[in-house]
Amino acid sequence: MSSYLDAISAFLVKHPTGDFARGTVVFAPVFPVLLLTLLTILAAGVTITALANLRGMSRRDRMLLGGLRIGAILLAVFCLTRPMLVLTRALPQRNVLAIVYDDSRSMSTPDASGGTRLEAVQRAFGDSSALMTRLRDRFVIREYRLGGDSRPIASTADLQGQASRSDLGAGLAATTDALADQPLAGIVLVSDGAQNGLTPLDAAFDRLSATGIPVHTVGVGTAPFKVDVGIDALSLPTEVLVGSDAPAELTLRTRGVAGQRLVITTEVGARLGSVDTVQVRAGRELIRVPLTIPATEPGDLPVRVQVAPVAGEVTDANNRASGVLRVRAGPEKLLYVEGEPRSELPFLRRAVAPDSALQLVALVRTSEGKYLRLGVDDSLELRNGFPTERAELFRYRAVVLGSVEAGFFSADQLRMLQEFVERRGGGLLALGGRRALAEGGYAGTPVGEALPVELDHDDAGASATRAATRVHVTPTISSLGAPFSLGRERVTGWDSLPDLTVVNHVGALKPGAVTLLDADGATPAARIPVMVTQRFGRGHTTLFLPQDAWRWQMARDLPPDDLTLPALWTRVLRNLVDGVPDRVTLDVAPAVGAPGESRRVQVAVADSIWQPRDDARVTVRVTPPDAASYDLPVPQDLSAVGAFAVEFTPSSTGTWRIEARATLDDTELTTGAIAVVSNDASDPGSMERDDATLAALAERTGGRSYDIERLGSLPDDAALTESGVTARVSDDLWDAPLIFLLFVGLLAADWALRRSRGLG
C-alpha cells in the first residue's frame, strides 16, 4: 500500500511521501509578504463587490461562486510564495552504500513466486542487474553477507544460504564498525526478517538510530505461509548433575495445523532421549512444550530436537533445533548444619546415599561445643565446627540449615552465608524447626535477608509455646516440571501422603519468590507456603517449612518400598547444586553453528572467595575433530572484572573441544566445553517474512521499507540522507501537477456554475 501512495504522491507533488518526512518545506516569496497580503485582500474585495452587484443569482450561488474565485486567488498567491522542498542529498560517487544480504538457511526457503529467496536476491542485486547499475552510478558499493556476524563479499554469487544464525543486530553493528572511517550514506538490508540472533533487537535499533545512518530494508519471501511448524527457541538449563532429568522447554510457532498432534523427538549425544507429542488447538498458536532430557553421562552433550514435518509445509528447515547440555559428573559437596539431633538428618542421608553425584557432609551439634561430623573427607574437615573462613565455606556448593538458631553463628558467619549465595552463587536450603527461621532469631540477619519469605522479630523463641500445625502438602502450578518434581520412582500421590507439621510462622513472600508446595491455611484464601524458592544474587535460596518430612516414609499406610521421600530429597538437593559456578567458568557462543561462523569464548576467573580477578593468565586450547590442538591467548575483556574473551572460527564439521586454563596465585584451574559445527545446523524460528521487524528497523533509523519486487525508487531514496558527504538541494513545489489540477478545477467549476445559471 505504501508503494502505491508513494507513486501517487510522486505524480501529484513531484516527491514520494518519504521525501517530505526527511526534508523541510520552506518559502521564498517572489514579492514581499506584506505586498502579497495586500494584493490578496484587494483581489478578494473586488471579487466580493462584483458578486454583490451581480443580478440573476441567488445568495447561495453568489457565495459558492465567490468561494471558487477566492480559492483560485489564494492558490495563485500560494504559487507566488514559491514553496520549496529542501533535502539533503548524497554527492555522487563520494559516499559508500553498504548492502547487507541475509545468508542464513531461511533464505534457502522455496518461494511462492518460484525458486528460493536467495535466487530472488541474486536476480535483483546481481552484478549485471539494472538496480545495481543505478546504485553504482551514485555510490561506492560495499557488499556483506549476514549470518551470526557480517563479512564482506565480492557479489551475490558468494551467497550460499547456509548460515545457522540470522543476527540482524550483530551483523548491522559489525557493518557500521567496519565502515566507521568511510563516508557511509546508508545501509540496505536484504532479508526475510526471520532473525534468531543473540543480540537484542531493541538495543541494536537504538545504536543504529544514534549513528544517524539510515537502514533501508528489503523484504524477501512470501508472508504468510498457509501451513508451517517452526521451532522458535530451545531452552536448556545451564548445567545439571549426571543422572538428572534436565528440564528443557521448546517454543513452537504453528500455523494452519489446528487439531493435529505434533511428534517431537529429542536426541542426546548419540542416544534417543525422548519422544513427546503435543496437540495444536488453534490455527495460529505459540506453544511452549516442556521437555525432560535424561542426563545419563557427564560432559558437554549435543542435544538435537526435531518436530516431524506436517503435510503442506513449504519447508521443514525450521523444524529442527540444537543445543548443548552441560552435565557435571560430581560428586557435589553439600554442608548440612543441625543444631540438635533429630530424625530429619538420618532420613535425608539415607535418601541421597545411593546418589554418587551428591556428597552430604553433616555437622550436628550434640552439646555445647561438641559436634558430630558425618561424610567428611578427612579428620581435619570441620574439626572446629562451622567454617570461620570464606574460602573454607565456599568449597561447598550448597548449605542446608536445619533446626539451628541464628545465635549458633557469629555475625561474620551469618554474613558469610549470605555471601555464599549472593557472590559465590551457592544454594541455601532452610528447613523448618523449633530453632529455625524467625523462631530461631533469623529476622533482620543477613541470612534472613536472603530467604524468600519475610520473617518477624516478634516470633523469636515462640516455637517453644506454639502448637504444631498439621498441613496436607499439595503442589502448586509453579511446581509442574520443576527439577525436584516426583517422576518415575515408586511414589505415592500427593493426596495419599500423610500430613506433616509446621511450628514456624512466616510472613509474605518476597518479590520474585515462587511457591512450589503449599497447604490449606486458616481460611480458604490463606495458603501456607510449604516450599518457596527465589534467586538471590548469583545463587538461590529455598525454604522447606515442615519439621517432619520423615513421616512420608514411616507412615503405616505407605508401602514399604515407597520412594516418595528419597525422590523428594534427592531432587531438592540436586536442584540446590545445579548451576552453582566453579572458580573458572567457560562459555562458548553460539554453542551450535555452521562452518565459518565465528565463536566467542568467554572465561570468568575468581579466587578462592569468588572475588573476580583480572591478574590471571588465561589460555584456551582448541581441539578440532580432524586436526591437532592449538592454544589461543585470551586477553582481558574490559566490559567486566575477571572476564576474558577471545574469538575463533571453526572451519570443519564435528565436535570442537575447548579447554580453558587459568593460572592464579600459582594455582592452575581448568574447565571445558564443546562447540558443535554442522552443515545441518538449523536457523530456527518462523521462516515467514517478518515485515514488522523490517519496518521497525527502517522507521527507527530513518530509512524506508521495500518489497524486493518493487525497488525502482531505492537509488533515489538512498541518496536522500544526512549521513556521509552531502549537499542541501531545493526543488520548487509551485509547479507540481497538483497545483495545476487544483487551479484548472476551480476555474472549471466557476465556469460550470455560471453556465448552469445562464450567465455564460
Side-chain angles (χ1 to χ4, degrees):
M1 178 63 71
S2 61
S3 60
Y4 294 114
L5 291 176
D6 284 344
I8 295 172
S9 176
F11 171 74
L12 293 177
V13 291
K14 302 169 57 177
H15 293 273
T17 56
D19 286 7
F20 291 93
R22 288 191 289 269
T24 304
V25 176
V26 299
F27 295 88
V30 176
F31 302 108
V33 175
L34 180 59
L35 178 60
L36 287 176
T37 303
L38 292 174
L39 290 174
T40 303
I41 295 173
L42 178 62
V46 171
T47 301
I48 294 172
T49 301
L51 290 174
N53 297 323
L54 188 64
R55 299 290 184 263
M57 294 187 73
S58 66
R59 184 170 180 270
R60 176 177 175 275
D61 287 343
R62 286 199 299 270
M63 293 180 62
L64 181 59
L65 189 61
L68 292 172
R69 292 182 177 181
I70 290 175
I73 293 170
L74 292 175
L75 191 59
V77 172
F78 176 76
C79 292
L80 291 175
T81 63
R82 197 186 173 191
M84 294 184 294
L85 178 63
V86 179
L87 296 165
T88 304
R89 192 180 299 275
L91 295 179
Q93 295 301 319
R94 297 284 299 277
N95 294 276
V96 172
L97 181 69
I99 305 179
V100 181
Y101 306 102
D102 188 344
D103 198 28
S104 66
R105 292 177 67 86
S106 65
M107 295 296 289
S108 299
T109 304
D111 201 37
S113 59
T116 66
R117 297 173 181 177
L118 194 59
E119 290 170 349
V121 171
Q122 291 169 333
R123 285 195 301 270
F125 288 87
D127 281 344
S128 59
S129 68
L131 174 64
M132 291 299 289
T133 300
R134 292 177 59 199
L135 288 174
R136 287 196 176 95
D137 287 342
R138 296 172 179 262
F139 303 99
V140 176
I141 302 298
R142 296 287 184 266
E143 297 179 83
Y144 295 83
R145 63 170 292 278
L146 183 146
D149 54 6
S150 175
R151 297 185 179 184
I153 57 174
S155 69
T156 56
D158 295 336
L159 300 176
Q160 298 178 341
Q162 293 298 317
S164 64
R165 196 169 308 281
S166 179
D167 197 331
L168 302 185
L172 292 174
T175 301
T176 55
D177 290 344
L179 298 173
D181 59 345
Q182 300 187 42
L184 182 60
I187 299 174
V188 178
L189 172 65
V190 186
S191 172
D192 55 16
Q195 90 104 29
N196 62 327
L198 304 175
T199 306
L201 276 181
D202 282 341
F205 288 178
D206 290 341
R207 177 182 175 183
L208 288 166
S209 178
T211 64
I213 301 172
V215 178
H216 307 280
T217 57
V218 178
V220 187
T222 303
F225 291 152
K226 292 182 179 179
V227 178
D228 187 50
V229 175
I231 297 178
D232 258 16
L234 171 62
S235 176
L236 297 172
T238 304
E239 63 180 13
V240 295
L241 273 177
V242 66
S244 298
D245 288 333
E249 185 179 77
L250 191 68
T251 304
L252 297 178
R253 191 179 299 273
T254 65
R255 183 194 293 272
V257 292
Q260 298 191 40
R261 184 171 293 276
L262 305 179
V263 179
I264 304 169
T265 304
T266 304
E267 296 180 3
V268 184
R271 301 181 180 181
L272 176 65
S274 63
V275 178
D276 300 274
T277 60
V278 62
Q279 183 79 30
V280 182
R281 296 165 298 181
R284 184 173 185 177
E285 189 174 5
L286 189 67
I287 308 173
R288 288 182 168 83
V289 184
L291 302 176
T292 300
I293 301 177
T296 56
E297 56 183 291
D300 291 284
L301 306 178
V303 176
R304 292 172 293 276
V305 179
Q306 179 164 339
V307 182
V310 298
E313 278 194 277
V314 175
T315 177
D316 63 355
N318 59 339
N319 290 34
R320 301 182 294 273
S322 301
V324 174
L325 178 65
R326 182 166 296 174
V327 182
R328 300 178 65 94
E332 308 290 16
K333 293 184 70 172
L334 303 92
L335 175 59
Y336 184 113
V337 184
E338 185 62 81
E340 58 184 344
R342 61 177 187 153
S343 301
E344 207 68 13
L345 177 58
F347 283 90
L348 196 152
R349 292 188 69 218
R350 281 198 293 269
V352 301
D355 193 337
S356 60
L358 296 175
Q359 179 185 352
L360 185 66
V361 178
L363 178 69
V364 184
R365 180 178 59 190
T366 56
S367 62
E368 192 65 33
K370 302 292 185 181
Y371 305 99
L372 173 64
R373 296 177 295 154
L374 302 171
V376 295
D377 290 333
D378 53 49
S379 61
L380 299 179
E381 187 174 0
L382 302 176
R383 66 175 180 175
N384 295 320
F386 189 82
T388 57
E389 301 291 336
R390 284 162 175 76
E392 183 182 0
L393 177 63
F394 288 8
R395 290 187 304 158
Y396 299 95
R397 302 185 76 83
V399 175
V400 181
L401 296 180
S403 183
V404 55
E405 70 280 4
F408 173 82
F409 305 99
S410 68
D412 188 55
Q413 286 174 324
L414 290 172
R415 285 192 296 271
M416 283 169 49
L417 280 168
Q418 185 189 59
E419 293 172 10
F420 174 81
V421 181
E422 185 176 28
R423 190 172 76 210
R424 189 254 187 272
L428 176 65
L429 171 64
L431 305 179
R434 295 193 178 274
R435 301 182 181 185
L437 305 175
E439 289 73 10
Y442 284 94
T445 68
V447 172
E449 293 175 4
L451 293 178
V453 294
E454 299 288 352
L455 302 180
D456 193 339
H457 289 277
D458 295 337
D459 290 325
S463 62
T465 58
R466 178 180 295 153
T469 302
R470 296 177 64 88
V471 296
H472 187 77
V473 179
T474 56
T476 68
I477 191 171
S478 300
S479 69
L480 299 178
F484 67 85
S485 60
L486 308 185
R488 296 184 297 271
E489 295 87 351
R490 297 187 303 277
V491 299
T492 299
W494 292 102
D495 292 339
S496 302
L497 289 173
D499 292 348
L500 304 181
T501 61
V502 169
V503 294
N504 303 101
H505 175 265
V506 295
L509 271 64
K510 293 181 179 177
V514 178
T515 302
L516 302 176
L517 304 174
D518 64 6
D520 292 333
T523 64
R527 303 286 294 176
I528 298 175
V530 172
M531 178 176 282
V532 187
T533 186
Q534 74 167 5
R535 296 294 304 179
F536 186 80
R538 298 184 67 190
H540 58 283
T541 59
T542 303
L543 166 68
F544 185 68
L545 198 57
Q547 64 170 345
D548 49 5
W550 54 267
R551 294 178 183 273
W552 282 355
Q553 193 162 5
M554 295 301 292
R556 68 177 64 181
D557 53 347
L558 290 177
D561 60 349
D562 184 80
L563 297 178
T564 300
L565 186 63
L568 176 73
W569 281 135
T570 299
R571 291 172 186 245
V572 167
L573 296 185
R574 278 177 166 266
N575 182 55
L576 205 62
V577 299
D578 276 347
V580 177
D582 290 322
R583 288 177 56 186
V584 57
T585 60
L586 171 63
D587 182 61
V588 181
V592 180
E597 183 176 0
S598 177
R599 310 299 173 92
R600 181 174 175 83
V601 180
Q602 293 179 296
V603 182
V605 182
D607 59 19
S608 59
I609 59 172
W610 263 257
Q611 291 283 12
R613 293 280 292 272
D614 287 335
D615 56 343
R617 297 194 308 274
V618 180
T619 60
V620 165
R621 173 160 294 180
V622 179
T623 305
D626 54 357
S629 302
Y630 59 91
D631 290 340
L632 297 173
V634 186
Q636 183 181 348
D637 184 353
L638 299 180
S639 64
V641 179
F644 302 80
V646 69
E647 292 189 3
F648 77 101
T649 303
S651 55
S652 57
T653 59
T655 300
W656 290 59
R657 302 197 174 276
I658 297 95
E659 181 185 37
R661 298 180 180 180
T663 303
L664 182 65
D665 298 334
D666 297 326
T667 301
E668 185 172 271
L669 307 169
T670 62
T671 188
I674 65 170
V676 178
V677 184
S678 172
N679 286 320
D680 296 327
S682 62
D683 183 19
S686 173
M687 292 289 190
E688 296 177 339
R689 181 168 123 187
D690 189 348
D691 286 327
T693 296
L694 296 175
L697 175 57
E699 181 179 358
R700 292 270 286 273
T701 60
R704 300 192 63 191
S705 297
Y706 305 85
D707 183 272
I708 195 167
E709 301 298 331
R710 290 182 289 274
L711 295 174
S713 64
L714 175 58
D716 293 332
D717 294 337
L720 297 176
T721 177
E722 295 184 0
S723 178
V725 182
T726 61
R728 293 178 68 82
V729 296
S730 60
D731 187 18
D732 285 323
L733 297 177
W734 66 268
D735 58 347
L738 177 63
I739 303 295
F740 175 76
L741 292 175
L742 286 174
F743 197 78
V744 171
L746 289 170
L747 295 180
D750 178 279
W751 177 82
L753 179 61
R754 289 187 293 107
R755 182 68 180 266
S756 66
R757 299 299 185 267
L759 298 178

